[in-house]
């Protein structure tokens, strides 16, 4: 884990999830492997092990750098911009 300058930009409390699953996968008829929550806007996307990698696509589209696992019992966060767990 390392210091990340993007953490100070995150809203407190964290945003409410905009959905319970990856809507991109639902629309495409695929199944997400694991879910990720954007900590700037609440977008829920699938991880990079999923066929369409919607969480990474959300970062590339919006520039929102930090997400956390949206899986039960997990709370780790990832910064796409820094390429590390934060």
């Amino acid at each position: 884990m390392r210091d990340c300058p993007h953490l100070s930009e995150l809203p407190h409390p964290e945003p409410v999830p905009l959905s319970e699953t990856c809507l991109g996968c639902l629309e495409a008829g695929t199944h997400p492997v694991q879910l990720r929550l954007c900590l700037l806007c609440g977008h829920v996307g699938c991880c990079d092990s999923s066929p369409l990698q919607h969480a990474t696509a959300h970062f590339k589209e919006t520039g929102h750098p930090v997400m956390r696992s949206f899986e039960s019992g997990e709370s780790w966060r990832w910064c796409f911009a820094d390429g590390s767990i934060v």
Side-chain angles (χ1 to χ4, degrees):
M1 229 159 57
R2 56 184 268 213
D3 291 332
C4 171
H6 304 101
L7 295 178
S8 63
E9 301 168 8
L10 299 178
H12 294 285
E14 70 181 35
V16 174
L18 298 177
S19 62
E20 292 296 315
T21 191
C22 177
L23 297 180
C25 283
L26 193 62
E27 184 178 300
T30 61
H31 297 283
V33 174
Q34 290 194 339
L35 299 172
R36 308 293 183 238
L37 174 69
C38 174
L39 292 180
L40 273 177
C41 72
H43 174 268
V44 176
C46 60
C47 75
D48 283 357
S49 295
S50 296
L52 300 175
Q53 303 175 352
H54 288 112
T56 296
H58 177 74
F59 163 66
K60 289 178 179 177
E61 186 177 296
T62 65
H64 296 170
V66 184
M67 67 89 205
R68 75 163 172 83
S69 175
F70 195 53
E71 296 296 316
S72 180
E74 295 183 2
S75 61
W76 58 269
R77 299 176 296 181
W78 176 262
C79 179
F80 287 102
D82 294 333
S84 66
I85 292 177
V86 294

